[in-house]
């Protein structure tokens, strides 16, 4: 899985596009601003000054309404609160539109991450896949939609990867970084110098794990 579209369903919508293991940054670095794609022309006002952005329909802020947090929202929904039930249904439908639009442009695996992802039930995912299939022009295979089982960790890895890849300009793909992250998940183990050493050792075909005297082939 070297081509991935990651949708971050947090208080603000976001995401990343990975092509052949590399983060897609394009000319000015704005290629993954999913949040400001027009989802509903003339729709809700967005903080960017435009109307109908995906941010207004697929972010956590757009979902909560008068609830203080996700736990409270889903407690109300489980208790039969019609407002929460309707907002959740609208959220799933708008998310399915975003997923389908992105997949029409980039035929990638789509990973749903962020704070909302752990709350998706099997029924919710079935609905999302069903709504996407209804909109798909070519086929109804929606197996490419994958929920992030550890959404907070996935989001943290993507953020760290972007920092190392863009700001420190290290020549690393996302899959090498995930391997590095797993090897160095002890406290204080993720520094720029250590990552540089990791990349050099990877070029030689060996990686030294923290706390180990022997080299490990990867």
């Amino acid at each position: 899985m070297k081509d991935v579209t990651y949708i971050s369903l947090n208080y603000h919508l976001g995401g990343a596009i990975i092509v052949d293991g590399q983060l897609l940054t394009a000319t000015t670095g704005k290629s993954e601003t999913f949040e400001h794609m027009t989802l509903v022309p003339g729709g809700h006002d967005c903080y960017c000054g435009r109307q109908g952005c995906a941010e207004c329909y697929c972010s956590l802020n757009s979902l909560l309404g008068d609830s203080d947090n996700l736990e409270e929202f889903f407690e109300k929904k489980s208790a039969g609160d019609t407002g929460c039930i309707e907002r959740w249904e609208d959220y799933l439908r708008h998310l399915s539109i975003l997923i389908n639009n992105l997949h029409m442009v980039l035929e990638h695996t789509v990973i749903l991450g962020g704070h909302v992802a752990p709350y998706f039930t099997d029924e919710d995912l079935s609905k999302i896949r069903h709504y996407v299939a209804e909109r798909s022009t070519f086929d109804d295979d929606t197996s490419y939609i994958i929920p992030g089982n550890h959404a907070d960790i996935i989001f943290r890895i993507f953020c760290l990867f972007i920092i190392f890849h863009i700001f420190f300009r290290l020549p690393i793909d996302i899959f090498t970084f995930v391997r590095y992250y797993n090897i160095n998940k002890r406290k204080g183990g993720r520094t720029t110098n250590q990552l540089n050493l990791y990349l050099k050792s990877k070029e030689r075909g060996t990686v030294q794990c923290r706390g180990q005297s022997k080299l490990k082939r990867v």
Side-chain angles (χ1 to χ4, degrees), residues 58-99:
C58 299
S59 66
L60 177 50
N61 283 329
S62 71
L63 174 65
L64 288 180
D66 59 357
S67 300
D68 291 332
N69 52 57
L70 275 173
E71 289 78 8
E72 182 182 335
F73 174 85
F74 281 101
E75 284 175 4
K76 289 179 179 178
K77 178 177 172 290
S78 297
D81 185 299
T82 55
C84 291
I85 292 171
E86 289 173 2
R87 277 206 306 279
W88 184 239
E89 183 65 21
D90 284 343
Y91 184 87
L92 297 181
R93 286 188 177 277
H94 285 112
L95 179 59
S96 71
I97 296 172
L98 177 63
I99 293 170

Side-chain angles (χ1 to χ4, degrees), residues 7 9 39 58 89-112 120 123-146:
I7 303 177
L9 304 172
L39 205 63
C58 299
E89 183 65 21
D90 284 343
Y91 184 87
L92 297 181
R93 286 188 177 277
H94 285 112
L95 179 59
S96 71
I97 296 172
L98 177 63
I99 293 170
N100 185 61
N101 288 348
L102 291 170
H103 194 254
M104 289 288 286
V105 178
L106 295 165
E107 196 176 0
H108 291 177
T109 297
V110 175
I111 298 178
L112 304 177
F120 288 134
E123 182 183 358
D124 294 330
L125 291 169
S126 294
K127 280 186 177 182
I128 291 171
R129 293 185 175 112
H130 173 70
Y131 296 151
V132 171
E134 283 185 331
R135 291 184 169 277
S136 178
T137 304
F138 301 108
D139 56 51
D140 56 1
D141 180 11
T142 55
S143 58
Y144 61 84
I145 303 171
I146 300 175

Side-chain angles (χ1 to χ4, degrees), residues 13-29:
L13 185 66
I17 296 171
I18 306 297
V19 178
D20 196 25
Q22 299 292 331
L23 180 69
L24 182 66
T25 55
T27 306
T28 61

Side-chain angles (χ1 to χ4, degrees), residues 4 6 16 18 153-162 174:
V4 173
Y6 172 72
I18 306 297
I153 296 175
I154 293 173
F155 179 68
R156 191 180 309 137
I157 288 174
F158 267 101
C159 289
L160 287 170
F161 173 68
I162 290 170
I174 184 65

Side-chain angles (χ1 to χ4, degrees), residues 38-58 62 90 94:
T38 301
L39 205 63
V40 180
H44 300 322
D45 292 334
C46 182
Y47 66 82
C48 72
R50 303 293 189 268
Q51 293 179 319
C53 294
E55 168 75 18
C56 304
Y57 299 90
C58 299
S62 71
D90 284 343
H94 285 112

Side-chain angles (χ1 to χ4, degrees), residues 189-208:
R190 295 181 293 279
T191 67
T192 309
N193 289 337
Q194 286 170 325
L195 182 53
N196 268 314
L197 290 173
Y198 176 86
L199 291 173
K200 289 177 182 177
S201 64
K202 187 176 185 299
E203 288 177 1
R204 297 193 298 268
T206 58
V207 171
Q208 186 167 8

